[in-house]
Structure formats: C-alpha cells, structure tokens
Amino acid sequence: MAERVFITGLGMITAIGDDVADNLRSLRAQESGLGFTRQLDTIYKEVLPVAEVKHTTAELLAMAGMTGREGFTRTTLLGLIAMQEALKHAGVSDVQDEVTGFINASTVGGMCDTENVYFDIADPEKTGDFLNYIDTLDCADCTQRIADTIGFDGPITTISTACSSSANALMYGARLIKAGLVRRVVCGGTEALTRFTLNGFNSLKNIDKRPCRPFDQDRNGLNLGEGAAYLVLESESLVKERNATILATLDGYANTNEAFHPTAPSPEGDGAYAAMKTAMEMGGCIPADIQYVNVHGTATLSNDVAEGMALQRLFGENVPKFSSTKPFTGHTLAAAGGIEAIYSVLAISHQIIFPNLHFKDKMEELYITPETQLVEQYPVRHVLSNSFGFGGNNASLLISKYEG
Amino acid sequence: MEELKQKLKVQIIEALNLQDTRPEDIDDNAALFGDGLGLDSIDSLELMVLLERQYQIKVEDPREGRKILQSVQSMAEFIQSKQPA
Amino acid sequence: MKGKCYIQGMAAITPQHTFEGDPMAQPMVVTHGNMLSCAEPDYRSFIAPNSLRRMTRVLKMGLTASLKCLQDSGIAVPGAIVTGTGKGSLQDTERFIKEIRDYQEKALNPTPFIQSTYNAVNGLIALQQKCTQYNNTFVHRGFSFEHALLDSMLLLHEGTADVLAGAFDEITTEHFFIKGRIGHWKKETISNDKLYDHPSPGTISGEGAVFFALTPVVTTQSYAQIGGLQMLYKPSPEKLNIALPKFLQQHGLQAADIDLVLTGENADTNHAHYYEILNGYPQLPFKHLSGDYETVGAFAMWLAAQILKHQQIPSQWFPMLQQQPAKLRNILIYNHFFGEQHTFMLLHAV
C-alpha cells in the first residue's frame, strides 16, 4: 500500500512576514501587506497596490547568506530564504542524509531582473555584467540555484501552471512519495513582482486600484503580491525512522481543468467543484468533515463567482467557514498555493481561522459570505486549499490534522 | 460617420487578425460578439486597446466596454461622442 | 514503480518532414546555418480559423501535434494532458516585453501575456478536446519533457486509462542571438548534415513539438513500450559512470541487450566527454536532424519508437550508419542538456 504523506517543515516569506512566525503574527493582527511598490520601476508605482516583500534585493541577498554572489535573482532569493527555514523547521540539517527531491513552481522565472536588462541582452552593441542574467530568463534557473545552494540530490523539477503552480508542485511531490520513488521532497513555489506580470494582469483589466476585496459585491480585481513558500513532505516510514514532528497530513489532492476559456473559469465553477470534491473524497472526507476552506478568492469578477458557486454546490446549505488570505499577501501566483497550504497547516496547528479582509457586501450571485473575523480556538481538523489559474488549471489540496 | 465606420472595420480586421473577413462583410449593426463575428472576451480587451491606441479613448470598466463594443455602429457612436464636434 | 506504458499514438513537428506521410521515407532536410526551424504543416486542417488567428507559432505547433497524436491513437479525450517546455511561447514573451517598452506600459494587448504563460498550450488542448481531467506543465530545461513523461507514467500507474504527453519548444532569431552570447552555439556556420565534422565549442539550435498517447495496455497499434526513465541532475563523472549499468540492471538488462543507443552527442566539445560512458555501445547521434533544445528528448523518443515499430533505421537520416543492426529489441536514449540535466530512456519493441 502506498505510504501516507506528512508535512514536517514550513518556510515562507511574504509581504506580511519574513518567516512563518511573522506571517502568523500579521494574520492574527489583521495587518495587510498591501501598499505601493518600492522595488518595481513602473508607471503604476503609485496607482496599483501590490503586496511586496519589504526588503531590497541586496537585503535579501544578505538574508539568504549569499552576499557577494552573482546572478541571484529576487525570485531565487525569496525562494532560498523560504527553503532555508523549511528545512530547519523540519530538523533537516543535511538534505543528503536521505535522497531528497525538490519540486519548485514559477510563472516567470527571473523576469523580475531580466526585464530590466533584456534589451541590453538582446543588443549586439552592448556588453557588460548583465550577461550574467541570460540564464535567469527561464523558470529552471531559480530552482537550480536553490538546489545547488542546498545540495538536493533527488528528483528536481519546476512546474508552471499559472496560479495553481505550487499546489501542483505539492501534489506531484506527494505522488512521487506514494509511488515509492523518494521518501522526502520539498515542494512549493517562488514569485517576485515584475513589470511583466503587473502589466499583464492590468491588460486583462483584472487589477483593482484599491486593496482587493474577495467575495464582495463591489470587488473589482486582484492585487499582485510576491513571496515564496516551501513545505517539507515526508513518507510515513521516514518520519517514524527519524522521529520527526508531523505538522499535518496531505491526504487528498486533485487537479482538474475547466476546458472553458483561456483566462476565465466556467460560471458554474465546474472545475473548482470537481477539484474540491475529488481532493476531499481522496482523503476519505465528506463535506461535513471540512471546517475551513482557504479559497483562491482573487477578487476578480469571474473567479469569485465560479468559486462561490462551486462551494455552494459542494456544501449546500452548510458551507464551512471560508476566507481568502489574498488581501494579506496579494496574489502571489506561483507561490500562492504554497503560501496558502502553509496557512492551512497553521489553521490546523493553531486552531484558528483567518479573516477575509475588506469584505462588506454579499455578492448578488451567491448566498454565502466569507469569514470576516479572526476566529481563535476553532476546531479545525480538515482544510481545503484552492488554487485556480489561467489555462483552466485548477488544484485543490486537502490538509488534515494528524490523528494517528 | 460612414467614413469612421469604414475605418473602424478595417482597424478591427487588422487588430484581431480576422483573415477571411472583408470590411464589407461586417454589418454596421451586427453583433461583434457571440453569434455575430464570433468574438470573445479577449477580443473585447483588444478592441479597447484599439480605442485607446487609435482614438485616445480609455475605457476603464470592462462592463462599460461591453456596451460600447456591441457593434461597429455603437463603437462609432461612442467615438464620435468623445470627440470634439 | 510498477505498471507498463505503451506508445499508442504519436505526432511530431520538427525540422525534418516528420508530420505527414511516411516519415521514415522522407529525405533529410539540410539547413545551412546553425538554427534549424520546423517544417510546419498547414494548421488549418487542425484548428478553426477563429481560434488560429490569435495563436503564435509554438502554440500552433503544440496544439496541432497534440491533435494529430490523438487522431493517430484513436483517443478523443485523454485522461490527462501533461507537457514539458523549456521556453514556452518565446514569441509572445518577447512581444509583451517589447510592448511594455514601446507603449510605456499603456494600452497593452493582453494576448501575448496570456499566451506567454507556460501552460497556454495545455489549456488550448484541454479546451479544444473538452478534457477536464488532470493537466500539468513542467518547465525545467532538459528535464521538462522527461518529468512530463514521469508524471504520465505515475498517472497510468495510479489508474488513469490514457495520457497525452508531449513537449514543445521554439527558437527565435532574437533568442538564438541571446543564447549565443553564453556560448550555446558554434562560432562557425555549418550545415546540419555536417554537424559531427565540426567538433568545437557549442552546437546548433533547434525546435520541435512532439506528442505521445500513452496507455498501460499493449495493442496491435502500439509503437513501442517505454520501459524505463531516469534523470540525473549535474552528476559527477563517477556517479554517471555507475548510473548507466545500474539503470540497465534495474530493468533486467545488460549492455549487450541494447541494440542501439540514440545519443544526444552534438559536437559540442564543452560537454562531449559525458558521452564516453557509451563507449562500446552501438550508437547513433540524432541532433543533426533536430538541432539542440530543452525538450529534444521527446524527438529522440519519437525516433526510437519509429525505429522499433518499423524494425529499421532510416538510413537516409543516418548516413553514418554502417549496417542495420541484426535485431532491434531495446533502444536506449542518453541525452543531456548542456551538461546539466542528464536523462536515460529505455524503449522496447512490442
């Protein structure tokens, strides 16, 4: 029989905190990370709010212990900082003491740095240090730099399915463990703000000029964010062998596709419904077992209708407490699934539900509303974490309390 | 107005790369979306870009855009209403 | 991992005439210049004009190859779609970067942004075939296709009835120039048919879109069985040396059982030494046909499957072939992408 998959380490950096503890503190204090960018060179500097990590790239280089090293993009550094925390948290001082895989997620790789030098790179007349950044054009660069720094010797790859990328990384990692190919794998994603993605979402008229308000009647789009998050997944046998602490289990997951439109979900939320239902059933749960759904909740017009319809279809009159944490972190694209999986683990380990900030009025299409208060001492045993994206890519994870 | 509509049709065909369509194939009042020309929501964003690049008219709200972009006629009327007489 | 994996259908758009007719009977396409481009088919037979009008090149290539593959296999709606791409749609990425600059971030068309996302081709396939099942895209240089293949094999093992697995990459003149700046390509201009006469730093670039329909059961239609797959990331020479015999042993084989190795040898003297592990094996290089790119492993697999199905090596594509092997049961593919991602793939005749 396939082994169960346990979560044994967490590491993250977002606009609301440099590590997991700092994130939890901000969530509890209801402090949003949204504001105006200090790092991006864009005409929307003081127009479009973003959730930016509050450090310069040089500061991140020092935080990652890489001062003086060349070619480390902001994407890589965010990832490296989160990775170092995750391994430390799991009590792994040497990843080579057990063959360890690394499944990363990225949407635009090192674009944050390459977009500033791209025209020099492409110009035969110009030469200089920017040539160091040629290799950072793709998504594999950040993964390999993190892998090389840490010393991973197991399976290594990068997934890119837009906003569901790191949820898919977690799913793939869990499946590698279940298939017996590896006993430990670190999964998640990293994303830095770029002019490219900011203008991309803006061209889709998908960005709200105000702080985003998921599941609100008056919502008008998302805010982008940046960050990185990794979770250490281990097989039951390895956890027992090394007597590791189990933070939560990953018993269910699903990946479905809308097959509806390049950038929009079906209005009835068919893909979201199927993803949640399949993940739940895989983990042996029925709707009544779920206490909390960390929704994708981007606050775009179409996502929240589709996702809300899917929740109503799946849970009927008894929709569990749900909230979008994107008003805290912004939409961190490839990192979102990882960040929200960690928040789901925190919901279980601290018996807490995070508020959906900026919500005022119920959407006319739905009868449900998100949780707007911080709820402490809530008995959270099973959480669904949703990540939906472009190309119709949907992913849901079922994260559960370990009860033997 | 007629001239503007002619020009718009040419610009629409070019912007959306409607290779097998000629300007005279597009009826002034035919629906651009759905059953008419068969355009979709991405085309509607591209048409808003057309308005901005060619006519310096910015449409902020996609919901407002949908009304303006119903047909060549409605687009032309909107452009005219925004331009000094 | 237990369970079997058979190629039930496939299609390839490459710099050779691999897409239509009997590909094994086609003459070798010879290109003078270090950048090989695909022989593109007429996309209108596969994609409706209304969908085609916005698509850039690699989207058309990827979608068309996937549709032809499904046709070939007789599977309309696969149980999963899994792809690999090193670079996604370069044309769209380049276009969007330029539009941001040229229009100073104002009034931008969303299309190149949407199409630049690496999972755009997957989304299009799912949309066209109404496939609402598992859908994933790997974007890791020389492991992109191979992880798509591993994911597919896992899916079959987990009970998925059939999987559409594929890979696509394109090259543009701008990107060819950029990668040339870090020594990817040869300084001297050559013809692809003379590639191996020019051992020097760098190689020639290429592109391609190749798809496979995979099932856990064999039929009379099956091209080949995929027996094994292994990836090694930046292996030390010692690790690489022991990896090959170990890989074969894991699959119950010895060196003598390998009838042919298709090698990623590409006349790049910076990274040629890795191929010394193949000394003593009967081998043929294939990159004079495709050029080099992240997901060229998919083309190698297509080639191996064709050879196994036809029980013959197309001699017009391999002028270096001395004589046809006595038997063609097991083909090994060994490739690496600029020395970083090394892969073994093992195919058996059915």
Side-chain angles (χ1 to χ4, degrees), chain A residues 7 10 12 166-167 170 187-188 229-231 248 250 294 325 335-348 383-387 397 399:
Chain A
I7 298 165
L10 310 173
M12 75 195 314
S166 52
L170 282 155
C187 307
Y230 295 106
L231 293 87
L250 181 53
N294 187 298
T325 44
I339 288 171
E340 290 162 26
I342 290 182
Y343 289 169
S344 301
V345 174
L346 294 177
I348 290 168
V383 181
L384 279 173
S385 178
N386 288 342
S387 301
L397 305 173
I399 296 171

Side-chain angles (χ1 to χ4, degrees), chain C residues 1-77:
Chain C
M1 189 175 45
K2 295 180 196 72
K4 296 191 167 170
C5 178
Y6 297 91
I7 300 172
Q8 290 299 107
M10 53 187 199
I13 297 172
T14 73
Q16 301 300 320
H17 293 295
T18 50
F19 192 70
E20 278 148 321
D22 174 9
M24 299 295 275
Q26 302 288 338
M28 192 201 311
V29 176
V30 176
T31 304
H32 186 72
N34 295 356
M35 187 175 118
L36 306 192
S37 298
C38 283
E40 292 180 70
D42 183 356
Y43 299 114
R44 287 172 301 182
S45 333
F46 292 88
I47 309 170
N50 207 28
S51 309
L52 206 50
R53 66 194 163 87
R54 271 200 298 255
M55 287 182 202
T56 44
R57 206 162 148 266
V58 81
L59 272 71
K60 289 189 269 199
M61 278 169 34
L63 180 57
T64 302
S66 74
L67 296 174
K68 176 88 184 288
C69 169
L70 289 173
Q71 271 181 12
D72 186 46
S73 70
I75 298 165
V77 185

Side-chain angles (χ1 to χ4, degrees), chain A residues 44 118 126 138 144 148, chain C residues 105 141 174 181 234 341:
Chain A
Y44 300 110
Y118 185 81
K126 293 198 173 156
D138 71 3
Q144 296 200 166
D148 293 350
Chain C
E105 302 186 65
R141 293 186 189 162
E174 185 164 294
R181 302 192 84 168
K234 293 187 181 172
Q341 302 86 26

Side-chain angles (χ1 to χ4, degrees), chain A residues 212 214-215 292-299 322-328 340 354-357 370-371:
Chain A
C212 67
F215 283 88
Y292 173 52
V293 184
N294 187 298
V295 292
H296 187 54
T298 53
F322 72 95
S323 63
S324 165
T325 44
K326 294 205 166 61
F328 286 99
E340 290 162 26
F354 311 113
N356 187 112
L357 303 179
E371 180 55 56

Side-chain angles (χ1 to χ4, degrees), chain A residues 42-44 118 120-121 123 126 135 138 144 148 157-158 160 172 175 199 203 255 257 260 390 393, chain C residues 101 105 110 118-119 126-127 130 132 134-135 137 139-141 147 151 158 174 181 233-234 340-341:
Chain A
T42 167
I43 63 164
Y44 300 110
Y118 185 81
D120 292 339
I121 288 174
D123 184 349
K126 293 198 173 156
D135 248 347
D138 71 3
Q144 296 200 166
D148 293 350
T157 194
T158 316
S160 195
Y172 189 57
R175 289 168 59 231
N199 278 286
S203 74
N255 162 317
N257 194 275
F260 179 74
F390 273 20
N393 272 107
Chain C
R101 177 190 63 176
E105 302 186 65
Y118 292 82
N119 61 332
L127 198 58
K130 294 277 165 255
T132 58
Y134 187 91
N135 196 305
T137 303
V139 291
H140 198 100
R141 293 186 189 162
H147 266 288
D151 193 357
E158 291 158 1
E174 185 164 294
R181 302 192 84 168
Y233 173 62
K234 293 187 181 172
E340 290 188 343
Q341 302 86 26

